[in-house]
Amino acid sequence: MGWTTSRHGNYPTTDIPIVELPDTLRFFRLALQERIYPLLRKQFGEFLPGGGKSLRVADGFIVKYDAEGGQTELKPHRDGSVLSFNIALNPATDFDGGGTWFASLNDAVKIDQGEVVSHASGVLHGGHGISTGKRYIMVCFVILEGYDSWSMRFYNNVRNL
């Protein structure tokens, strides 16, 4: 399938779903169990039912920002899940700008290759623009299996943070 821009209606990204990348998917599933879910439980567990034991990635994809003719930013928005996280896939020296902009900070959080930024999905955020180069990130939307009603209340509570 390759790069697409039609998977996310309101805030489209230039992306490839992780499920289309078998080697990445195998590595990612292991990383979720060994590193990412434990990190999210440590960061958010006190706010999640059961300490976040039922975390599950509902959607994961690689996003490409390209200053030379592609998507350079993503306007402020809220994701439709409980938690979201981004992993930087290339060095920050490959581009100028970038990062995840948060309304509550009125600033962008920049991460380097292999680093993670995570947040409650209902928090207003966006992809800060790049002016040169290419930026690649893995984006994942995380839900709590079996906690749909709780998840909606949590989402609405964090919208104003």
Side-chain angles (χ1 to χ4, degrees), residues 2 5 12 26 34 52 59 64 68 71 79 97 114 116 125 130 139 146:
T5 57
R26 275 191 295 280
E34 292 182 354
D59 190 16
K64 175 174 68 170
E68 295 149 21
Q71 179 179 10
D79 301 329
V116 177
H125 65 284
I130 62 168
V139 175

Side-chain angles (χ1 to χ4, degrees), residues 5 7-15 61 71 73-79 124-126 141:
T5 57
R7 290 183 349 98
H8 303 104
N10 293 329
Y11 296 92
T13 55
T14 302
D15 66 48
F61 48 99
Q71 179 179 10
E73 67 181 4
L74 186 59
K75 300 290 184 198
H77 63 282
R78 291 177 172 87
D79 301 329
L124 186 63
H125 65 284
F141 301 145

Side-chain angles (χ1 to χ4, degrees), residues 1-100:
M1 184 171 174
W3 295 106
T4 179
T5 57
S6 59
R7 290 183 349 98
H8 303 104
N10 293 329
Y11 296 92
T13 55
T14 302
D15 66 48
I16 299 176
I18 294 171
V19 296
E20 292 186 16
L21 305 168
D23 292 337
T24 301
L25 184 58
R26 275 191 295 280
F27 169 80
F28 181 60
R29 284 183 173 149
L30 184 61
L32 280 172
Q33 298 306 318
E34 292 182 354
R35 294 179 161 203
I36 298 169
Y37 287 154
L39 171 68
L40 294 174
R41 287 182 191 112
K42 184 174 182 179
Q43 292 174 317
F44 300 102
E46 68 182 280
F47 305 108
L48 304 175
K53 290 183 181 171
S54 58
L55 294 173
R56 184 176 69 79
V57 170
D59 190 16
F61 48 99
I62 308 298
V63 174
K64 175 174 68 170
Y65 293 100
D66 186 350
E68 295 149 21
Q71 179 179 10
T72 60
E73 67 181 4
L74 186 59
K75 300 290 184 198
H77 63 282
R78 291 177 172 87
D79 301 329
S81 57
V82 175
L83 302 174
S84 301
F85 66 87
N86 302 348
I87 302 173
L89 299 178
N90 63 322
T93 55
D94 286 359
F95 53 88
D96 289 317
T100 303

